[in-house]
């Protein structure tokens, strides 16, 4: 999965000489480490016989705010290494990432006597694809169409101006009152005693959403309302700015609170669907199937699929390739990365990951492999297959007319 996400350096902790914490009876030649070595050898073979082209692509990013102490490796003890700070609703706001990674447990995962018949949280499918996390201090947000700010942020003038510029130029920003805070006192932050950007002191009224308590401001500007409270007050609103749009969460609380979480997810569905509907070449996953997209300079894209339901008797999955509004079911066998080469209105991919599409110009594909290999062409809403014999040479060219 990390290879699919663009990682260049993959490290094996402790070099398999032993496994840490309760597992140190496993040594380098034990069944566990021997099997782990075989998996690494399999991945190494894939990496050395395939080319990962282009750059990792996603139109969606989360903003990590100034002084936000959220982390995923351990969440029970402290924030910023300070035990007195604990791990509060402020940091738990990042659990909204499970909208995009529904099986993930955003914590360190040490599961002793690990069950083999249910989800644990190690891996997740991606219904909408992967997302980036970038610091709010980043110089440029322009490569993303949707920015989401869920956690703590100390609002600084330069950051607010960058966000305004991003929206004016056509970006969509999801943000709320907590991200406009200028308060750095930890106790006040966790008690929602904020002073807001521009020295604003806001008054909030108590309400509910889906019967869960929430505090909303009655002084908020908007063009339309996306989500109302149970008392018909604006909870999530939309405001046009320049060429773009602000989706404002009108709640004092962070998204870690049930009412805000429910409203947030409802808004994310609309924003994510609208963000992705303009993609001419993309994909769809689910809880089992994860996919990643790489964008090449010539306009082509390479899309990787992998199944993550390791605990099921039949862990194979089915992803969806989307090309020019046509959808194609992609079988994703367990333990294989399915790599699709897409350009313009069509795509080609091998049935088995030991083979590869090296290049595809829309009419001719250069493919490599071994033995008899099957390739699939996706075009005009129809999938066709071609068998290539690599017994005499490892690289061949096939035309779209060879598929039937």
């Amino acid at each position: 999965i990390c290879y699919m996400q663009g990682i260049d350096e993959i490290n094996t902790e402790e070099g398999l000489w032993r496994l840490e914490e309760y597992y140190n009876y496993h040594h380098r030649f034990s069944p566990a480490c021997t099997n782990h070595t075989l998996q690494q050898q399999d991945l190494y073979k894939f990496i050395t016989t395939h080319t990962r082209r282009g750059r990792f692509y996603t139109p969606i990013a989360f903003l990590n705010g100034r002084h936000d102490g959220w982390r995923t490796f351990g969440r029970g003890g402290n924030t910023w290494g300070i035990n007195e700070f604990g791990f509060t609703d402020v940091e738990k706001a990042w659990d909204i990432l499970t909208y995009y990674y529904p099986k993930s447990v955003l914590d360190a995962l040490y599961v002793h006597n690990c069950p083999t018949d249910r989800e644990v949280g190690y891996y997740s499918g991606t219904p909408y694809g992967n997302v980036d996390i970038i610091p709010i201090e980043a110089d440029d947000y322009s490569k993303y169409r949707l920015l989401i700010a869920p956690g703590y942020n100390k609002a600084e003038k330069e950051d607010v101006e960058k966000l305004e510029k991003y929206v004016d130029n056509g970006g969509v920003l999801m943000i709320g009152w907590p991200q406009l805070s200028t308060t750095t006192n930890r106790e006040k932050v966790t008690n929602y005693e904020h002073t807001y950007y521009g020295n604003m002191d806001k008054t909030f009224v108590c309400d509910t959403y889906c019967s869960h308590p929430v505090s909303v401001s009655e002084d908020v500007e908007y063009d339309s309302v996306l989500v109302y409270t149970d008392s018909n007050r604006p909870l999530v609103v939309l405001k046009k700015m320049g060429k773009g749009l602000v989706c404002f969460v009108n709640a004092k609380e962070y998204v870690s609170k049930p009412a805000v979480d429910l409203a947030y997810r409802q808004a994310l569905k609309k924003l994510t669907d609208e963000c992705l509907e303009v993609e001419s070449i993309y994909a769809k996953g689910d809880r089992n199937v994860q996919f990643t997209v790489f964008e090449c300079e010539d306009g082509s894209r390479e899309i990787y699929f992998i199944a993550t339901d390791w605990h099921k008797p039949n862990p194979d999955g089915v992803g969806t390739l989307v090309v020019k509004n046509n959808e194609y079911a992609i079988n994703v066998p367990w333990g294989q990365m399915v790599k699709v080469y897409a350009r313009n209105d069509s795509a080609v991919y091998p049935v088995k990951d030991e083979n590869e599409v090296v290049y595809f110009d829309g009419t001719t594909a250069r493919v490599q492999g071994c033995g008899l290999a099957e390739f699939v062409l996706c075009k005009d809403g129809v999938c066709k297959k071609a068998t290539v014999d690599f017994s005499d040479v490892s690289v061949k060219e096939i035309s779209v007319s060879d598929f039937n």
Side-chain angles (χ1 to χ4, degrees), residues 114 259 400:
C114 181
V400 294

Side-chain angles (χ1 to χ4, degrees), residues 371 388-396:
V388 181
D389 187 354
F390 291 106
S391 59
D392 56 340
V393 63
S394 60
V395 179
K396 290 191 173 183

Side-chain angles (χ1 to χ4, degrees), residues 315-331:
D316 295 351
V318 178
T320 302
L321 175 68
V322 182
V323 180
K324 293 291 185 181
N325 296 321
N326 289 311
E327 295 190 357
Y328 306 91
I330 307 295
N331 292 323

Side-chain angles (χ1 to χ4, degrees), residues 42-343:
D42 185 56
L43 175 61
Y44 179 74
K45 180 180 178 181
F46 182 92
I47 293 173
T48 55
T49 57
H50 294 67
T51 302
R52 191 178 61 192
R53 303 175 186 84
R55 67 174 184 86
F56 175 85
Y57 171 78
T58 176
I60 302 171
F62 278 70
L63 284 171
N64 191 213
R66 284 185 183 267
H67 311 317
D68 187 346
W70 167 75
R71 68 186 190 282
T72 58
F73 193 82
R75 59 190 282 156
N78 59 65
T79 297
W80 289 120
I82 302 174
N83 291 332
E84 290 81 2
F85 281 5
F87 196 90
T88 68
D89 288 341
V90 181
E91 290 73 42
K92 292 174 184 176
W94 281 91
D95 287 354
I96 195 62
L97 276 169
T98 58
Y99 184 81
Y100 296 98
Y101 300 91
K103 292 196 298 186
S104 285
V105 175
L106 302 176
D107 196 359
L109 284 171
Y110 291 90
V111 183
H112 308 302
N113 297 318
C114 181
T116 59
D117 60 349
R118 61 179 174 84
E119 297 173 1
V120 177
Y122 291 128
Y123 314 108
S124 178
T126 53
Y128 307 99
N130 280 266
V131 298
D132 272 345
I133 298 176
I134 61 173
I136 199 168
E137 297 92 339
D139 294 329
D140 184 18
Y141 309 140
S142 62
K143 69 178 182 178
Y144 304 103
R145 287 198 299 277
L146 173 59
L147 289 181
I148 303 160
Y152 175 76
N153 177 58
K154 182 184 183 295
E156 297 279 4
K157 183 175 184 291
E158 61 183 286
D159 300 330
V160 173
E161 289 177 347
K162 281 190 298 183
L163 291 173
E164 289 175 343
K165 179 181 178 181
Y166 165 79
V167 176
D168 281 340
N169 288 334
V172 177
L173 172 66
M174 188 170 188
I175 198 168
W177 290 115
Q179 292 76 50
L180 296 179
S181 173
T182 58
T183 304
T184 55
N185 180 285
R186 175 70 178 184
E187 184 176 355
K188 289 186 176 181
V189 167
T190 56
N191 289 329
Y192 297 103
E193 298 172 3
H194 292 287
T195 297
Y196 298 99
Y197 184 76
N199 292 318
M200 290 188 295
D201 287 316
K202 301 296 296 185
T203 300
F204 294 88
V205 296
C206 295
D207 207 324
T208 60
Y209 177 65
C210 294
S211 301
H212 297 289
V214 66
S215 306
V216 296
S217 171
E218 294 187 301
D219 178 23
V220 61
E221 296 183 17
Y222 57 87
D223 296 321
S224 60
V225 179
L226 188 58
V227 182
Y228 286 95
T229 67
D230 293 339
S231 299
N232 211 37
R233 292 187 176 97
L235 178 52
V236 180
V237 300
L238 302 176
K239 176 71 176 177
K240 295 179 181 178
M241 282 182 55
K243 299 178 182 178
L245 182 72
V246 174
C247 179
F248 194 79
V249 183
N250 182 35
K252 180 173 71 173
E253 296 84 4
Y254 285 90
V255 64
S256 45
K257 291 297 188 183
V260 188
D261 177 85
L262 289 169
Y264 217 95
R265 290 174 186 271
Q266 184 175 337
L268 278 179
K269 177 170 178 24
K270 172 182 171 61
L271 298 181
T272 304
D273 288 347
E274 291 178 350
C275 176
L276 298 181
E277 69 182 6
V278 303
E279 296 285 350
S280 61
I281 300 175
Y282 208 65
K284 296 178 183 178
D286 55 25
R287 288 179 64 86
N288 176 18
V289 174
Q290 179 168 157
F291 73 88
T292 57
V293 178
F294 283 77
E295 189 172 49
C296 302
E297 291 184 0
D298 62 5
S300 62
R301 288 186 175 182
E302 293 192 342
I303 300 176
Y304 293 78
F305 294 89
I306 197 166
T308 66
D309 276 351
W310 58 272
H311 59 282
K312 290 185 176 179
N314 179 14
D316 295 351
V318 178
T320 302
L321 175 68
V322 182
V323 180
K324 293 291 185 181
N325 296 321
N326 289 311
E327 295 190 357
Y328 306 91
I330 307 295
N331 292 323
V332 186
W334 169 249
Q336 292 197 45
M337 276 188 285
V338 178
K339 178 185 175 186
V340 179
Y341 196 126
R343 178 191 291 273

Side-chain angles (χ1 to χ4, degrees), residues 13-24:
E13 188 172 10
E14 297 176 333
L16 287 181
W17 283 109
R18 68 179 185 88
L19 300 182
E20 64 177 325
E21 191 189 5
Y22 297 107
Y23 295 111
N24 55 8

